[in-house]
Amino acid sequence: MRRTHYCGELRRGHAGARVTLCGWVHRRRDHGGLIFIDLRDREGLIQVVFNPAVDTQTHALAHDLRSEYVIEVSGTVAARPEGTVNPNLPTGEVEVAASALTVLSEAETPPFEVEGEAEVGEALRLKYRYLDLRRPSLQRILRLRHVAAQSIRGFLNARGFIEVETPMLTKSTPEGARDYLVPSRVNPGVFYALPQSPQLFKQILMVAGIDRYYQIARCFRDEDLRADRQPEFTQIDLEMSFVDREDIWSLMEEMLVAVFREASGITVATPCPRMSYAEAMARFGTDKPDTRFGMELADVGPLVRGAGFKVFAQALEQGGEVKGICAPGMAGASRKELDDLTEFAKGFGAKGLAWMKVAAEGIDTPITKFFKPEEASAIVHAMGGKSGDLLLFVADKSPIVAETLGRLRLHLAGKLRLIPEVRYDFLWVTDFPLLEYDEAEKRYTAMHHPFTAAMDEDIPLLESSPLKVRAKAYDIVLNGTEIGGGSIRIHRQDLQERMFERLGIGPEEAKAKFGFLLEALQYGAPPHGGIALGFDRLVAILVGVESIRDVIAFPKTQKAVCPLTDAPSPVTRDQLKELHIKMDL
Ligand code: ASP
C-alpha cells in the first residue's frame, strides 16, 4: 500500500508522524510563497502545505496542481500554527508539511464543482455520476446504505434466515406491473421475464423446506415512472414457514428497531400500531395514513341526510358519502384560496368542495340556507370545529371522497405545518381486501398478488361476494409512505386454483403461467408467509432525502434512461438476427 493513512483520519495525536496520503485535490490556494491544498479521500479532507523551505522541487511541482488531480503526497504531520486551526474540519488541528509529491492522474475541469453542494441539474449529475458520487453527501449515503444492508443481514442471519439467490432470467411473477422481457437466443421465439419480485421462488423455497429465506433482491418493473419509481429497485425480501401474521409483524418490528438504531441512531417505538384497511380508509382516506398528525375525516352523512342540501342528499341517495375535514385556523381563507382548494379537489375527481367557516359570531357558509342553525352546529361539533377553523366537505362516491379528502388532508397539513419533522410513525395496515374490480377489464384482480390467502372466515364469500373477502395481507407504513407489504400465502393447491378461477385465469392459462407452482403445492407445502420492504425507500428515509434516486449509486431518469452509459441503446442487426427479432418501429 502506498498510503499510510486516510486524509480524514489524521488528528493532533499524529503530530510528528511521517505519512503518505493519496487522494484528490479538493481545492488549492496560493499564499505568497506557500501553496495550500485540501486533499480529499473517502474519509475526509486534510490541509497539505507546500513550503519551498521544506522542499523546493515539491513546492515547484505543486504549482501545477488543479482541482480533482489525483496525487500521492508524503510529509510530516504538524499541529497547525496558533490561530489557523479550523474547527469545522475534523482534521482541522493539523496539517501535513509535504516533502514529496507525485501526480498519479491529471483531471479535466469538472462540469460542476465537486466541492460544496452547489445545485446542479440532475441530468448532468447522472451523466457524470462518478463526480457526483465524490461529493461527501453522496459518499455518506452509500456508506449508510451499506451499513443498513449489513444490519439487516446480521439481524436475519442471527434468527436463522438463509440468504438464497433466485433467478434473474425467469418467468413472469405478477406484481401488477409490466415485465421486462429478455429474448432467448438458443430457444427462438421465447422470452424470459426479469423478476418483478422473487415471490414464486421464495414460496417454492418454503416447499423445499428452507423454512426461513431472505434476499436483498433486485426487482424489475416496467412502469411509466411516476414520481419516485425506478425500473429496477431493491427489496428486502423474506419468507417463513409455519407462521402467522403476528410472527412476521413482530419480527419486522425488531428488524426495523435494529436497522434504525444501527444505521441512523434513531429509536423506533414498538409494537407498531395496527389498523385495518377499512379503518384507515374511513379515518384517513388512504391505505397509507400519515399518523403524525390528526385532521381525520369525519363522516357527516347521518347529520346531513335530512337537510335540504341537494348535493349532499343526492350523493347519499346514490350510495355515496358526505365527509369532511377540519382545517384548524383557516377560517380566514380568501375566496381565491377556497377556489384553489376546490380546483385541488377536482383534480381527484370531486365535483366540488363545500365549506363552512367557524367564527365566534356563528357559522359562515354559502350553504347556510340549507341547514337549520342546530343542524349546522351539530356538524361543527361532530367535526371538532372551533372558532377560527375551516370545515371542508366532499359528497360523492366513497372512493372519490376518500381520495380527495385524504389528499386534501396532506396538502393542508403541509401548508399549515402540522407535520412534525423528526418523528417516525410506523403503522401496520391489515385486513386488505383480497380483490379489486377492474372496471376497464371487467374482471377481478388481486389487490396484493394472486398468491395471497384470504381470511379463513371469508373464504366462503369468494364466489358470492368477492369484494367482501379480506386478505391475510398487510403493509407497513412509515409517516404516510408504504415501505413494505406482504401476506400469508395460499398453500393449498385447490385454493390456489380457486383463486386463479376467481381472477378469470382459466385452468389452461394457470397451467401455462403457474403450473410449476400448482404442482409444487401438491408435494407437501407448509403454511407460509412473508414480506418485502422497499430498501431504497427505507434508506432514503434513514438518511432524510426525498428521492430514492439519491440513495441508488447509478439510478435511471424518469424516462428509464441511464445518462452515464446511455442505456438503453441500439444494437446491431446481427445481434437482433441472432435473437430472431425483427424491428417494427
Ligand atoms: N412479493 C411482494 C411484493 O413484491 C411482497 C410479498 O408478498 O412478500 O410486493
Side-chain angles (χ1 to χ4, degrees):
M1 216 33 212
R2 298 160 177 262
R3 170 170 59 209
T4 58
H5 295 80
Y6 278 114
C7 300
E9 71 183 294
L10 297 180
R11 296 288 181 276
R12 222 193 156 82
H14 291 98
R18 287 272 316 157
V19 296
T20 299
L21 307 172
C22 295
W24 285 258
V25 175
H26 193 62
R27 197 183 292 135
R28 198 196 79 187
R29 295 178 305 277
D30 287 12
H31 280 302
L34 301 179
I35 298 172
F36 293 88
I37 64 161
D38 286 341
L39 187 63
R40 186 189 72 236
D41 63 20
R42 198 180 92 168
E43 303 298 325
L45 293 175
I46 179 85
Q47 174 162 291
V48 181
V49 194
F50 295 89
N51 184 344
V54 174
D55 187 285
T56 26
Q57 216 182 343
T58 302
H59 177 261
L61 269 176
H63 271 292
D64 296 330
L65 294 179
R66 299 282 173 274
S67 283
E68 301 309 308
Y69 272 32
V70 183
I71 60 172
E72 180 184 329
V73 180
S74 298
T76 310
V77 181
R80 289 202 198 186
E82 198 64 37
T84 64
V85 166
N86 180 352
N88 300 321
L89 212 57
T91 61
E93 287 189 299
V94 291
E95 59 189 16
V96 173
S99 53
L101 166 67
T102 313
V103 173
L104 300 171
S105 220
E106 297 188 352
E108 295 290 322
T109 305
F112 51 84
E113 279 185 13
V114 171
E115 179 193 336
E117 292 297 326
E119 277 297 314
V120 182
E122 190 165 46
L124 200 63
R125 284 179 52 197
L126 294 185
K127 179 164 161 56
Y128 296 96
R129 189 61 161 172
Y130 42 88
L131 297 178
D132 198 27
L133 289 174
R134 281 184 195 167
R135 297 167 159 214
S137 55
L138 283 169
Q139 297 251 326
R140 181 180 82 89
I141 291 175
L142 286 190
R143 292 176 82 157
L144 194 137
R145 183 179 174 115
H146 162 77
V147 172
Q150 291 312 306
S151 156
I152 288 162
R153 286 204 165 93
F155 177 87
L156 292 172
N157 295 344
R159 278 155 189 82
F161 281 79
I162 297 174
E163 186 170 10
V164 183
E165 290 158 276
T166 55
M168 289 278 142
L169 294 175
T170 178
K171 217 171 152 86
S172 177
T173 291
E175 296 279 358
R178 210 176 281 113
D179 287 322
Y180 275 100
L181 298 176
V182 181
S184 166
R185 181 182 57 83
V186 275
N187 304 287
V190 291
F191 294 79
Y192 304 96
L194 301 182
Q196 290 188 33
S197 80
Q199 185 61 34
L200 293 173
F201 288 105
K202 66 175 174 172
Q203 291 191 230
I204 285 179
L205 287 170
M206 295 304 103
V207 181
I210 293 299
D211 197 70
R212 290 175 169 220
Y213 140 95
Y214 82 97
Q215 184 179 192
I216 301 199
R218 196 67 61 80
C219 304
F220 304 85
R221 297 184 189 175
D222 186 3
E223 297 175 284
D224 292 324
L225 301 186
R226 279 184 284 130
D228 200 21
R229 297 273 180 93
Q230 283 283 306
E232 54 180 303
F233 58 96
T234 306
Q235 284 190 339
I236 305 154
D237 190 49
L238 58 99
E239 197 75 7
M240 305 165 82
S241 291
F242 309 109
V243 289
D244 56 33
R245 300 182 302 169
E246 291 284 348
D247 300 308
I248 292 167
W249 298 345
S250 53
L251 181 90
M252 283 301 93
E253 289 176 4
E254 268 184 75
M255 187 179 92
L256 287 165
V257 166
V259 65
F260 271 70
R261 187 187 58 233
E262 285 165 28
S264 288
I266 297 166
T267 307
V268 171
T270 54
C272 308
R274 283 117 209 225
M275 188 184 290
S276 73
Y277 169 88
E279 185 180 343
M281 293 304 289
R283 289 175 53 193
F284 300 95
T286 172
D287 59 3
K288 35 180 180 296
D290 189 338
T291 47
R292 284 174 299 173
F293 63 97
M295 244 174 120
E296 294 188 18
L297 279 52
D299 184 1
V300 295
L303 298 175
V304 300
R305 194 174 292 279
F309 188 40
K310 269 226 187 68
V311 176
F312 284 4
Q314 264 174 7
L316 292 172
E317 271 160 32
Q318 288 164 5
E321 292 180 310
V322 183
K323 287 184 146 186
I325 51 172
C326 171
M330 272 195 72
S334 66
R335 186 72 242 171
K336 162 96 172 58
E337 277 177 285
L338 291 166
D339 286 348
D340 288 349
L341 290 177
T342 307
E343 278 314 302
F344 181 87
K346 285 183 175 165
F348 302 103
K351 289 190 269 301
L353 198 59
W355 54 265
M356 288 183 180
K357 291 177 174 177
V358 189
E361 25 335 321
I363 300 160
D364 170 19
T365 169
I367 51 177
T368 315
K369 59 174 187 250
F370 302 110
F371 298 95
K372 296 193 196 89
E374 62 272 21
E375 283 174 341
S377 11
I379 293 172
V380 173
H381 182 72
M383 294 180 61
K386 288 185 294 299
S387 178
D389 293 349
L390 172 70
L391 310 183
L392 296 162
F393 304 91
V394 176
D396 219 307
K397 295 196 192 83
S398 304
I400 293 184
V401 172
E403 170 91 3
T404 310
L405 288 177
R407 300 284 189 149
L408 206 53
R409 174 177 176 267
L410 290 177
H411 175 69
L412 291 173
K415 216 168 122 122
L416 299 172
R417 303 192 170 280
L418 297 183
I419 310 178
E421 266 170 27
V422 192
R423 199 165 131 178
Y424 298 87
D425 273 17
F426 285 91
L427 175 74
W428 286 104
V429 179
T430 69
D431 301 7
F432 276 81
L434 185 70
L435 301 161
E436 290 175 290
Y437 190 69
D438 185 328
E439 288 289 349
E441 294 199 15
K442 301 258 168 289
R443 63 184 188 89
Y444 293 97
T445 56
M447 194 148 177
H448 185 45
H449 51 53
F451 319 107
T452 291
M455 299 281 255
D456 300 334
E457 61 272 34
D458 292 355
I459 294 177
L461 303 175
L462 202 53
E463 283 75 25
S464 56
S465 306
L467 294 177
K468 291 223 174 92
V469 179
R470 290 162 307 157
K472 289 182 184 168
Y474 35 82
D475 277 353
I476 176 107
V477 173
L478 170 55
N479 294 349
T481 299
E482 178 207 321
I483 58 166
S487 60
I488 300 296
R489 327 296 183 185
I490 300 169
H491 74 280
R492 270 177 39 198
Q493 194 228 15
D494 57 334
L495 279 179
Q496 186 62 69
E497 280 177 339
R498 208 168 136 195
M499 179 67 175
F500 285 144
E501 215 161 283
R502 179 69 279 180
L503 296 171
I505 303 173
E508 290 283 291
E509 191 185 346
K511 189 155 178 264
K513 287 187 170 155
F514 311 112
F516 63 102
L517 174 74
L518 290 170
E519 200 170 15
L521 295 181
Q522 282 177 307
Y523 286 93
H528 61 286
I531 192 165
L533 305 189
F535 186 54
D536 307 296
R537 172 66 48 216
L538 193 67
V539 176
I541 291 169
L542 285 170
V543 289
V545 294
E546 282 294 315
S547 168
I548 61 167
R549 295 194 293 280
D550 282 339
V551 302
I552 296 173
F554 301 104
K556 297 195 174 51
T557 63
Q558 295 274 312
K559 291 208 79 179
V561 164
C562 169
L564 173 72
T565 61
D566 264 341
S569 47
V571 296
T572 64
R573 238 172 235 284
D574 287 348
Q575 282 176 301
L576 287 177
K577 203 157 174 219
E578 262 181 347
L579 295 169
H580 325 283
I581 286 180
K582 280 208 183 91
M583 289 288 212
D584 177 18
L585 290 175

